[in-house]
Amino acid sequence: MQPEAQDDPEDHDEGLWRPAEAGPVTGAERARAIRGLGKFSLLAGVLVALIALPAACTTGLGARDAADWFQTDPEDLSTAGVPQRSRILAADGSVLATFFFENRVNVRLDQIAPAARKAVLAIEDSRFYEHGALDSKGTLRALVSNLDSGEVTQGGSGITQQYVKNLLFTQAESEEEQAAAKEVSAARKIRELRYAAAMERRFSKDEILARYLNIAYFGGGAYGIETASRHFFSKSAARLTLPEAALLAGVIRLPYAYDPVKRPDAARDRRNLVLDRMADLGWLPRDEAEAAMRAPLGLRIKETKNGCVTSVAPFFCDYVQREILTDPVFGKTAEDREELLKRGGLTIRTTLDRQTQKAAQRAVDRHVPRKNSAGKAAAEALVEPGTGEIKGMVVDRKLGSDKERGKTWINFAADASHGSSIGMQAGSTFKAFTLAAALEEDMPFGTRLMAPRRFTPTGFRNCDGDPVNSGDSLRNSADGEGGKMFSLVTGTHHSVNTFFLALEREVGLCDTVKMAEKLGMRQANGKPMEQFPSFTLGFNQVSPLRLAAAYAAFGARGEYCEPIAIKSITDSTGKKLKVPGARCKQVIDKGVADAVNHVLRGVLTKGTARGMGIGRPAAGKTGTVDNFSAAWFAGYTPDLAAAVWVGDPRGGYKYPMTSLCMDGTCYGSVFGATIPAPIWRESMSGALAGRDATSFRRPPSHYFSKGSGEDRARLPDVRGMDVRDAIERLRRAGFRASVGSPVRSSRYPDGTVAEMTPGPGEVEPGTSVTLRPSRGGGDDRPDGDEPPLPPDPGPNDPAPIPVPPGTPLPRPGT
């Protein structure tokens, strides 16, 4: 919308008010003025005639019909549709961003300084409270003055007519309607006068004046006197001084000509004209007016930013904006939703906690600087358990075009629908869902499975019952290790890939997938997750926000809440709008969640993220994606959950985080505990500072039926013992024994144990031990030189032969 459309063409386009610096009147300008004078004289005559119309039209049906038409309210008369700016607020009420087509804030008349009201009336319509829709005396006086001077020097439109004119232009939805609202014609003037008469019948004078002051354009992108006062003087309209009020009053008639920033001299002359007029009317003592004329303009310009780019929480702000623009609850079409956001005068109170946001942004920026030399990126989302409220959302970039280094339009913390991100592979953070599925089937903590060095997936079926086996051999990499037995507890603490593949096969791929789905997980593109054996290793592409919300459900003892960013919305009238809720639901038993929390707490004290505690009960899981293409950490307390991703926006497999050096700091290969976990620790510590700690609940006792899962047992050294005696001793110590093929040994006699796998020391209770008897004739190593332990058996090696009690053992030499 062009600001000049706020002013009457017949009042201004032909030279009603002329800037002081404009210079002498040219011939062309005088010709335009004469044309304008003719138009003004014609319209003035028409409008004055209309004043007498109801009284004069007493003969003839047509005349009476015309009078009735003029005196009845137009059917299309509406005061709606005036754009109001919308604001996004943090949870504490502070402003995060504003959105508008027109920067306008409506205020009541009593919220406008009396000096400002008087100044506007003095220069625009001093008899406003004395006349009706049309000031016939003022119109005739303007006509006489214009005829006398030979040019248009006075306008005839009163406050009510100007309000109607601005209203009709503002309500215009197309260029054609805007052109019709600006055309210079008797028909348009008669239409405006009819509307003005209706307004005078519908509203009080005070209400009309307030509406006019709220709709008028003041220049500088400021619509309405409240926004103008804030823009030009950085204060509310209620606090305007006399010189400031007079300046704004003078600007209304021709904002571009009296722009106090670009044309300060013209603005000062116009201000002083307003003050002089107030003194002439007796509304202001002459000496007070002259003192105000000597005052400086006193501008304190304050720009109102439009949109999220300059917000203190730009990516969260963008998430909220997309929430409104994409959810049909806020309008049937995308155009309707944008109209609501940018014209509806909404007050959008969000869930963002400024302390949490600040702590997270500081942590992300410290570990992965915005313009880091390696081109890496980081994102974090923080969600409150039990409510689903998003308390923070950060990316280590500014919001903007990625053509400029350190900026991006993509919100890596959110799904595609709310940030354009297609997500990132989640790595071992998905193992928590397999763990939860196993615990839901009442597997005790001490349940132990063999974790081979390599695992060939067989026996897997998806939720449709179709086999989804893979011929590819999966191995332990990144966080994990393998080649031995692990319990639910130790397998999780060490993040052993092949252990979790075996566990997923034990509980069922479908059950694992359903567990993740119950906890809100889906691909970042909105599609259901793909189902393959490596599901537990986190090959699906997801967002930090989804992962944080899922882990928050563990902290909330199994209650999952959809992540929400908006708490309430009110429109310009104070009416509350419907806002989608978190739809919290108990999706897993409290005892199961308590058991998950118990196991994941150990990750921070004994596992892959040991040393990353935050000084209060907390739990979490590292995630290192295959080939070090990305790294994650997801962790939580009963009060807050967060998920951190670190990777490369250019493609993690093309730019893996191996031998990574970033801004002078070198990490080697980046695991989940290398960068993401420290970001999480600093974010959580800052976010929860000053808040009381909440403890987790103890898991149900049946999960301890096979021990804690963390017990370590001393495996005795049985080398040199007779094989039968060694087997018996191991059995008494709680270990299973099996006999492998004999080996040559010069150190241990025939028939005694020459080698044992694993070797003596601290091992998991119940570990299976393979004994290899000596058959003599070994090499000539010195007695103190132990032979190396043989490698763990591979998938194609012959299995050790268990030895039941009473089985005859091989004799020396056989």
Side-chain angles (χ1 to χ4, degrees):
M1 183 181 297
Q2 296 299 318
E4 54 267 36
Q6 299 281 332
D7 303 295
D8 242 345
E10 72 267 24
D11 288 348
H12 311 302
D13 292 351
E14 309 297 352
L16 171 57
W17 299 113
R18 182 177 180 80
E21 71 272 25
V25 178
T26 65
E29 288 174 330
R30 186 171 295 281
R32 284 198 301 271
I34 292 172
R35 289 196 302 271
L37 177 60
K39 295 175 184 177
F40 182 86
S41 301
L42 173 61
L43 290 176
V46 172
L47 296 177
V48 170
L50 283 171
I51 297 299
L53 184 63
C57 293
T58 56
T59 60
L61 182 61
R64 286 197 301 272
D65 288 346
D68 290 343
W69 171 84
F70 188 79
Q71 292 296 317
T72 56
D73 286 358
E75 292 182 1
D76 59 344
L77 178 63
S78 171
T79 59
V82 178
Q84 301 286 316
R85 75 181 187 186
S86 296
R87 298 183 304 157
I88 295 180
L89 310 180
D92 63 1
S94 58
V95 178
L96 297 177
T98 55
F99 292 87
F100 51 82
F101 283 136
E102 295 180 357
N103 184 19
R104 175 183 287 106
V105 178
N106 275 1
V107 291
R108 302 185 309 273
L109 193 62
D110 62 4
Q111 293 175 304
I112 302 171
R117 293 179 245 161
K118 288 182 179 180
V120 170
L121 290 173
I123 199 65
E124 293 295 330
D125 189 354
S126 62
R127 299 182 64 256
F128 172 67
Y129 281 94
E130 300 170 22
H131 63 72
L134 176 67
D135 181 7
S136 57
K137 183 184 296 186
T139 301
L140 289 172
R141 183 178 63 249
L143 175 60
V144 171
S145 175
N146 295 336
L147 289 171
D148 185 57
S149 65
E151 60 182 353
V152 180
T153 60
Q154 292 188 26
S157 295
I159 291 291
T160 308
Q161 287 177 259
Q162 291 185 49
Y163 165 61
V164 167
K165 175 179 51 189
N166 288 339
L167 178 64
L168 294 177
F169 185 84
T170 299
Q171 291 175 333
E173 296 181 356
S174 65
E175 292 183 1
E176 292 76 13
E177 291 179 354
Q178 289 179 354
K182 293 191 297 181
E183 70 175 348
V184 181
S185 68
R188 191 206 100 193
K189 266 300 185 185
I190 292 171
R191 178 188 179 216
E192 286 181 3
L193 184 58
R194 184 182 179 219
Y195 275 54
M199 293 294 181
E200 292 272 352
R201 290 190 295 270
R202 180 179 295 187
F203 302 113
S204 69
K205 287 287 190 178
D206 283 353
E207 178 65 17
I208 292 172
L209 179 59
R211 287 171 176 268
Y212 171 69
L213 291 173
N214 281 319
I215 203 173
Y217 181 64
F218 289 80
Y223 291 82
I225 195 167
E226 177 68 15
T227 305
S229 181
R230 295 182 187 183
H231 172 71
F232 289 110
F233 301 111
S234 298
K235 62 171 65 173
S236 68
R239 298 173 52 226
L240 286 169
T241 64
L242 175 61
E244 293 166 347
L247 181 71
L248 294 184
V251 164
I252 294 177
R253 184 56 64 117
L254 213 58
Y256 50 89
Y258 301 116
D259 185 330
V261 176
K262 297 179 180 179
R263 296 172 175 169
D265 291 339
R268 182 181 291 104
D269 291 343
R270 178 66 174 166
R271 179 199 68 179
N272 292 348
L273 179 64
V274 173
L275 292 167
D276 190 58
R277 174 66 174 158
M278 294 175 73
D280 287 346
L281 290 169
W283 294 359
L284 188 67
R286 176 58 63 178
D287 60 343
E288 190 175 334
E290 291 175 353
M293 291 179 192
R294 293 191 295 270
L297 295 184
L299 299 179
R300 293 182 60 193
I301 302 299
K302 181 179 181 181
E303 299 290 346
T304 301
K305 304 299 183 182
N306 191 359
C308 295
V309 171
T310 58
S311 173
V312 296
F315 290 94
F316 176 82
C317 171
D318 186 63
Y319 182 93
V320 173
Q321 178 185 6
R322 292 173 188 252
E323 177 78 4
I324 293 173
L325 295 179
T326 58
D327 196 327
V329 75
F330 298 113
K332 292 182 179 180
T333 67
E335 292 76 15
D336 292 340
R337 297 189 286 270
E338 184 175 16
E339 187 89 356
L340 176 66
L341 177 62
K342 295 186 177 180
R343 298 172 66 97
L346 306 180
T347 299
I348 306 163
R349 189 172 290 273
T350 71
T351 60
L352 185 97
D353 178 73
R354 294 292 291 268
Q355 177 179 330
T356 300
Q357 178 73 13
K358 184 178 180 180
Q361 190 71 65
R362 184 171 55 241
V364 164
D365 289 346
R366 192 170 86 82
H367 289 277
V368 188
R370 184 175 295 130
K371 298 180 181 181
N372 67 81
S373 59
K376 305 308 176 190
E380 182 176 17
L382 303 99
V383 177
E384 184 175 64
T387 67
E389 293 186 3
I390 303 170
K391 294 301 182 181
M393 181 179 288
V394 300
V395 175
D396 74 321
R397 297 284 194 273
K398 284 187 175 181
L399 188 63
S401 172
D402 57 9
K403 292 181 181 179
E404 184 176 345
R405 187 181 174 199
K407 292 185 177 182
T408 182
W409 288 117
I410 299 175
N411 185 351
F412 298 118
D415 287 351
S417 61
H418 287 73
S420 303
S421 173
I422 60 173
M424 294 73 70
Q425 288 186 334
S428 296
T429 58
F430 260 46
K431 291 172 182 174
F433 305 132
T434 310
L435 171 67
L439 293 169
E440 191 171 55
E441 295 182 9
D442 286 335
M443 284 191 184
F445 295 138
T447 301
R448 288 178 169 80
L449 298 173
M450 182 64 187
R453 294 192 181 278
R454 290 186 174 272
F455 186 98
T456 301
T458 58
F460 289 87
R461 292 182 178 273
N462 62 23
C463 290
D464 292 328
D466 301 326
V468 287
N469 301 313
S470 171
D472 298 331
S473 180
L474 302 174
R475 61 188 176 85
N476 291 298
S477 61
D479 294 352
E481 57 186 88
K484 57 184 179 182
M485 300 283 288
F486 290 91
S487 70
L488 288 186
V489 174
T490 55
T492 303
H493 291 176
H494 295 281
S495 194
V496 185
N497 285 359
T498 55
F499 171 83
F500 272 94
L501 288 164
L503 182 62
E504 182 183 55
R505 182 167 60 188
E506 188 77 13
V507 301
L509 171 60
C510 183
D511 286 352
T512 299
V513 172
K514 287 182 176 179
M515 174 59 70
E517 289 175 343
K518 286 193 295 186
L519 293 168
M521 293 308 303
R522 60 171 180 255
Q523 292 189 79
N525 60 13
K527 296 180 180 180
M529 290 178 294
E530 295 183 351
Q531 302 177 26
F532 293 102
S534 55
F535 181 90
T536 190
L537 305 184
F539 75 87
N540 276 282
Q541 310 222 57
V542 300
S543 69
L545 179 60
R546 283 279 157 198
L547 194 63
Y551 274 61
F554 295 140
R557 303 190 72 204
E559 183 182 23
Y560 174 75
C561 301
E562 284 284 339
I564 58 170
I566 301 173
K567 296 181 75 171
S568 66
I569 299 179
T570 55
D571 64 15
S572 59
T573 67
K575 177 184 175 183
K576 284 196 171 184
L577 305 185
K578 183 179 179 181
V579 174
R583 298 188 291 274
C584 297
K585 182 180 179 182
Q586 193 75 32
V587 295
I588 57 177
D589 289 342
K590 292 180 179 179
V592 173
D594 294 338
V596 172
N597 300 337
H598 172 80
V599 176
L600 294 186
R601 287 187 67 182
V603 174
L604 293 168
T605 57
K606 307 168 186 176
T608 53
R610 56 187 174 274
M612 291 294 151
I614 57 175
R616 63 176 68 208
K621 182 71 189 71
T622 53
T624 307
V625 183
D626 193 29
N627 294 326
F628 299 97
S629 58
W632 291 74
F633 188 83
Y636 58 98
T637 73
D639 303 304
L640 188 64
V644 179
W645 163 84
V646 176
D648 199 305
R650 300 167 295 179
Y653 286 100
K654 187 176 181 180
Y655 299 96
M657 293 191 292
T658 54
S659 302
L660 176 66
C661 289
M662 184 165 52
D663 293 352
T665 302
C666 294
Y667 298 93
S669 296
V670 176
F671 295 84
T674 308
I675 300 177
I679 291 175
W680 175 88
R681 178 182 58 186
E682 292 176 23
S683 299
M684 294 287 286
S685 296
L688 296 173
R691 298 175 59 180
D692 293 337
T694 305
S695 298
F696 293 110
R697 302 290 187 91
R698 179 177 170 81
S701 59
H702 68 269
Y703 287 113
F704 296 94
S705 61
K706 291 186 178 180
S708 68
E710 299 175 348
D711 300 334
R712 304 293 289 179
R714 180 72 182 176
L715 179 63
D717 188 353
V718 294
R719 288 173 296 185
M721 294 179 60
D722 179 83
V723 173
R724 285 173 295 187
D725 294 339
I727 291 173
E728 185 60 29
R729 182 173 179 185
L730 290 173
R731 285 173 178 162
R732 288 198 305 269
F735 298 98
R736 292 175 293 171
S738 58
V739 178
S741 57
V743 295
R744 293 185 177 277
S745 173
S746 61
R747 181 177 183 184
Y748 299 108
D750 286 356
T752 64
V753 177
E755 298 174 359
M756 56 185 294
T757 307
E762 296 288 334
V763 296
E764 289 288 319
T767 296
S768 179
V769 182
T770 300
L771 305 178
R772 288 182 170 82
S774 169
R775 60 181 183 182
D779 54 35
D780 297 327
R781 286 190 301 268
D783 287 347
D785 189 6
E786 294 285 350
L789 292 175
D792 291 327
N796 299 319
D797 292 343
I801 304 171
V803 183
T807 301
L809 298 175
R811 310 292 299 178
T814 60

